[in-house]
Amino acid sequence: MNDPVWEHVSGGRHVLLLGPPPPPPPQWLVVTVRCDGPRTTAGPLELARGRLLDAVGLGEVDEPAPSAGSRPFLGVQPIPIEARFVDACNRVVGASVRPSALVLDAVDKADEDTLESLVEILARPLWLSLPLVLVVRDAFPTALEEAVRVSGGVVLREAAPAVPDAGVAVPAPRGWDPSAASAEARRILRAAAAIGSVFEVELVAVLLGRPLVRVLETLQEAADDGAPLSDDGAGRMALPEVVVTALRASTLPSLSSAWNERLAEYLAGRKRAAPAPDRFAGTPASEPDETAVAEPERAEHATATKRDGAAEPAAGGEAPRGAPERVGDPLRAAAHLREAGRIEEAVDAYLDAAESLAEGGDVRRARRVVAEAGPLLEAVASARRGQVLRARLAMTLGRLHWLGAGDTSDLHEALEALERAHEALPDDAPAPLRARLASLNAGVAYDLGDQASLQRALDQLSAVSRALLAAGEALSAAHLLNDMAALELRLGDPVQAVHLLMRSRRIFERSADSADPSVQAELAVTEHLMARLPLHAPLRPGHETEALELAREHAHSAEARLARLGAGRALARVHETLARLDLLAGDLDGAAGRLREVIETQRRLGDVVGLARSAAAYSELLARAGRADEAARALTESIALNREVGSRIGLGYNRRAFEALSQAGGTPAPELQVVARELEAAEARLGRAVLPPTVEG
């Protein structure tokens, strides 16, 4: 191997270089993702993650979608995008029999949030096993360059002696005038400009109802006449911004608005994508064909897929067997709705995009999308609709603060945002929306552990539950029972919690949709909370063994359901509960083994709240095993994590563990002083919690 790029990559090193890399050796598996182009809901890291898994035939192993109750109490929070991306990369390394790498092209054109995520990934040594080739087109991002060096990678500032991108057209002289193009070329170029400076040719075909080949041929004619088009050879082309501005300015506002509305409708996923009756024969130009192409988000792959021998659409318009349904892209749809002046719908779409990003753990990009939606609310005409949208925006912010706990925000900010949502929501707001808000609020209050917050959250849940029942939504109301039971446990009332849990289990076991994943998730929540009862209430003398065995049975039932759902974070929480039960039974070795596995899983998945709890449990175990110095270090880590996420109740249990550690003796005074100093600093920031009378938190 003579090429320096692939020599470095073959040694497992990341490479940051100027210009496209040379072709990889033939035996290599290399996935390439471009970071320029239109902003999409699935950003470059998510696109790369999916394509890597597809390349080696690996399926998804992500958390199931949360139910209507949002399932905060099992930790079924989305895994951060950085952890999901790294997990996919590392799985590819383990599954592929060929040397593998990921090329992120035009990385300097990626959005700021993607760059920050990449820097975070590279800054953690030994986290990412798959080597990255990061291609810069213009300027080296300073933070990324530094992160590559820190990771042990190399920076190649000289352009590699590579062949140019396939199919790139030579830019025309600056003086090119769109008015010199033919009428058909001007129409197609204006439609392309409506999409953006980088556009998918297939999406132009959809917009104009033209067959793909006719659009490509017309663009070829325009390029021959001097149009400054560049083509990546895989269905995406680009125009300089100055040309895009001129083309948009020459388009009638009414036509521009109509085009943007049609693009928004298509990109929102409201219609099923299907191939054209005949992609190459096409339909008459006067008869727009809305089913001209398959999913535009996959346009980048269209040419390559045909080269690989995928089935072509059959004559007559029937989609090839197994053709995917188009998935909507609310972020792109929102941008076109805004351009069309459909502000209310644009805000809705932006919030849909933010929620989708939150579900994917892409907190940074979700925050930016919410920030874009905020100013548009002032232009919403309907007062009531504006209230609902403001409430949705505040709810989304609260969710993002909750997901970002331990990063740039904390649980208190989440609670404040959700309180603003509660104030903004009109009294006649839809019950499901009110239920979602109440459940989110309960989840944050549960992790925070503040008694006043817990009681307010319980009151909200009770009120919403009554409203749902009055509206005939009995199953939706039942989704809140587990949330209420978890709050009752936090408040120190296990008797009421058991009553609620028994009701929940009866309802969902009798549900007609008992095989539905959301119903199975509810039953898993119920079983897990039942398993935790011995941790919240003293065991009856003489019945300790029986109670612990019953609790383990509930935990194993929850474990089995969650394993079928693929809920990794929730499984880690159940395993933590099993470890605590082992600890309560005096099985230190069993508890230690489980906790070590749980802590490793939570680190990998980025579950900061769960990690704080597990570190505290491990500290208690070490203290009981007579390893006081190690216990002090584990307790210090738990204090730091609880401080990051703003968990006052977590600090309360840290205080209880510290006092027990101090009284037990055996811990070196300097280490105890470190723990005391960290604990006092955290309590000075968050306040000291009043703990409920339970065995543990």
Side-chain angles (χ1 to χ4, degrees):
M1 186 181 299
N2 298 321
D3 180 78
V5 172
W6 295 106
E7 283 182 2
H8 288 305
V9 172
S10 65
R13 304 176 73 184
H14 307 304
V15 176
L16 178 66
L17 78 154
L18 179 65
Q27 73 272 22
W28 277 65
L29 169 65
V30 177
V31 172
T32 300
V33 172
R34 294 185 66 105
C35 299
D36 54 357
R39 288 174 64 212
T40 58
T41 308
L45 296 186
E46 177 63 18
L47 288 172
R49 191 187 69 83
R51 292 179 194 173
L52 283 166
L53 294 177
D54 287 345
V56 293
L58 292 175
E60 295 284 358
V61 292
D62 292 338
E63 306 289 346
S67 70
S70 186
R71 297 289 45 86
F73 306 125
L74 279 181
V76 185
Q77 287 279 49
I79 301 170
I81 182 63
E82 297 82 7
R84 297 173 76 233
F85 171 76
V86 170
D87 180 66
C89 290
N90 293 346
R91 290 176 67 208
V92 166
V93 171
S96 178
V97 296
R98 301 158 58 192
S100 305
L102 171 65
V103 176
L104 293 177
D105 198 356
V107 71
D108 52 327
K109 308 298 184 185
D111 59 88
E112 182 180 337
D113 305 302
T114 297
L115 286 173
E116 287 182 11
S117 293
L118 278 172
V119 168
E120 178 183 323
I121 290 166
L122 293 170
R124 294 178 61 176
L126 306 179
W127 194 24
L128 178 65
S129 301
L130 184 74
L132 303 181
V133 179
L134 306 171
V135 178
V136 171
R137 294 291 172 159
D138 294 326
F140 281 71
T142 303
L144 187 60
E145 180 178 355
E146 182 179 338
V148 169
R149 294 188 189 280
V150 167
S151 74
V154 295
V155 177
L156 302 178
R157 289 192 168 275
E158 302 244 347
V163 295
D165 286 348
V168 173
V170 178
R174 290 184 178 181
W176 180 77
D177 183 1
S179 64
S182 68
E184 180 67 3
R186 286 200 305 275
R187 184 179 186 223
I188 287 174
L189 289 169
R190 284 185 177 121
I195 295 168
S197 59
V198 178
F199 59 93
E200 301 94 332
V201 180
E202 287 191 299
L203 194 50
V204 176
V206 165
L207 181 59
L208 298 179
R210 293 288 192 271
L212 176 62
V213 165
R214 186 176 300 173
V215 172
L216 287 168
E217 289 171 348
T218 305
L219 289 171
Q220 178 66 67
E221 292 170 7
D224 292 342
D225 290 338
L229 283 162
S230 61
D231 181 0
D232 71 355
R236 286 198 333 169
M237 295 192 185
L239 287 164
E241 285 290 349
V242 64
V243 174
V244 170
T245 301
L247 288 167
R248 288 181 175 178
S250 70
T251 305
L252 289 172
S254 296
L255 178 59
S256 176
S257 179
W259 274 349
N260 277 294
E261 285 189 26
R262 190 171 189 189
L263 286 167
E265 181 180 67
Y266 186 83
L267 291 166
R270 296 174 191 165
K271 296 184 179 180
R272 185 186 187 281
D278 186 331
R279 293 171 68 95
F280 298 94
T283 53
S286 59
E287 297 179 12
D289 175 14
E290 295 187 0
T291 63
V293 300
E295 179 180 356
E297 291 169 312
R298 298 184 184 268
E300 213 171 312
H301 296 301
T303 305
T305 300
K306 293 181 192 328
R307 284 198 299 265
D308 292 342
E312 289 289 333
E318 184 178 359
R321 187 168 299 177
E325 295 233 349
R326 172 162 50 90
V327 177
D329 189 334
L331 185 54
R332 291 188 72 177
H336 288 292
L337 285 166
R338 185 178 61 186
E339 289 292 323
R342 306 281 286 273
I343 300 302
E344 182 179 311
E345 294 171 69
V347 174
D348 248 336
Y350 274 123
L351 295 178
D352 287 344
E355 289 168 3
S356 177
L357 288 166
E359 291 301 329
D362 202 343
V363 176
R364 287 188 176 96
R365 296 180 73 235
R367 284 191 184 124
R368 194 173 298 273
V369 170
V370 171
E372 291 181 47
L376 298 178
L377 280 170
E378 301 305 319
V380 174
S382 166
R384 183 187 178 281
R385 186 64 181 143
Q387 285 180 301
V388 172
L389 288 173
R390 281 184 176 82
R392 272 196 71 195
L393 187 144
M395 285 172 62
T396 306
L397 274 177
R399 178 75 187 278
L400 293 174
H401 284 311
W402 188 19
L403 290 175
D407 183 9
T408 59
S409 58
D410 60 27
L411 298 173
H412 292 284
E413 290 178 289
L415 215 55
E416 290 169 5
L418 294 174
E419 183 58 34
R420 292 197 301 273
H422 184 72
E423 293 171 357
L425 206 61
D427 293 336
D428 62 345
L433 186 61
R434 293 176 60 199
R436 190 162 152 232
L437 173 57
S439 189
L440 279 172
N441 190 59
V444 177
Y446 182 89
D447 279 347
L448 183 62
D450 178 84
Q451 298 285 291
S453 300
L454 288 166
Q455 189 59 57
R456 282 197 301 271
L458 185 58
D459 293 343
Q460 281 189 25
L461 282 171
S462 299
V464 172
S465 180
R466 289 193 297 271
L468 287 169
L469 287 171
E473 299 283 348
L475 198 60
S476 297
H479 276 287
L480 304 181
L481 292 173
N482 285 325
D483 296 9
M484 295 166 70
L487 293 179
E488 292 286 9
L489 285 177
R490 277 292 200 215
L491 288 165
D493 191 347
V495 174
Q496 180 61 16
V498 170
H499 172 68
L500 292 166
L501 291 171
M502 296 301 289
R503 282 179 59 197
S504 173
R505 188 162 64 178
R506 284 196 301 270
I507 291 170
F508 287 108
E509 283 182 340
R510 295 199 304 262
S511 170
D513 299 323
S514 58
D516 185 271
S518 69
V519 171
Q520 289 300 308
E522 293 294 345
L523 287 168
V525 172
T526 303
E527 295 291 346
H528 187 191
L529 290 172
M530 295 285 280
R532 293 182 64 81
L533 286 171
L535 307 177
H536 290 269
L539 300 177
R540 285 171 49 195
H543 296 272
E544 294 89 349
T545 301
E546 178 185 351
L548 289 172
E549 187 56 38
L550 182 60
R552 287 193 184 97
E553 289 178 11
H554 286 301
H556 288 307
S557 176
E559 181 183 35
R561 294 178 192 277
L562 292 169
R564 289 194 294 269
L565 291 171
R569 278 188 157 190
L571 270 173
R573 295 287 180 99
V574 173
H575 292 158
E576 180 214 329
T577 294
L578 283 165
R580 288 185 181 274
L581 293 172
D582 289 341
L583 191 59
L584 196 59
D587 181 4
L588 301 186
D589 290 339
R594 286 189 193 276
L595 280 174
R596 282 193 293 267
E597 292 178 5
V598 168
I599 287 171
E600 177 58 33
T601 299
Q602 289 169 333
R603 286 190 194 280
R604 180 173 61 84
L605 298 181
D607 184 3
V608 182
V609 173
L611 189 56
R613 294 162 53 87
S614 300
Y618 198 52
S619 170
E620 181 184 343
L621 182 150
L622 292 168
R624 290 179 58 176
R627 296 156 62 182
D629 53 344
E630 295 177 60
R633 287 194 291 274
L635 186 54
T636 300
E637 179 181 13
S638 179
I639 291 168
L641 290 165
N642 280 315
R643 178 177 177 173
E644 282 186 55
V645 303
S647 179
R648 187 181 301 169
I649 198 168
L651 291 179
Y653 286 101
N654 290 153
R655 167 64 66 181
R656 179 179 290 178
F658 172 69
E659 290 170 354
L661 190 62
S662 302
Q663 293 168 7
T667 308
E671 299 215 8
L672 274 179
Q673 290 171 2
V674 170
V675 177
R677 188 165 56 248
E678 293 297 321
L679 184 56
E680 288 168 4
E683 289 175 337
R685 177 187 171 191
L686 301 178
R688 186 172 292 194
V690 178
L691 295 181
T694 64
V695 177
E696 69 84 45

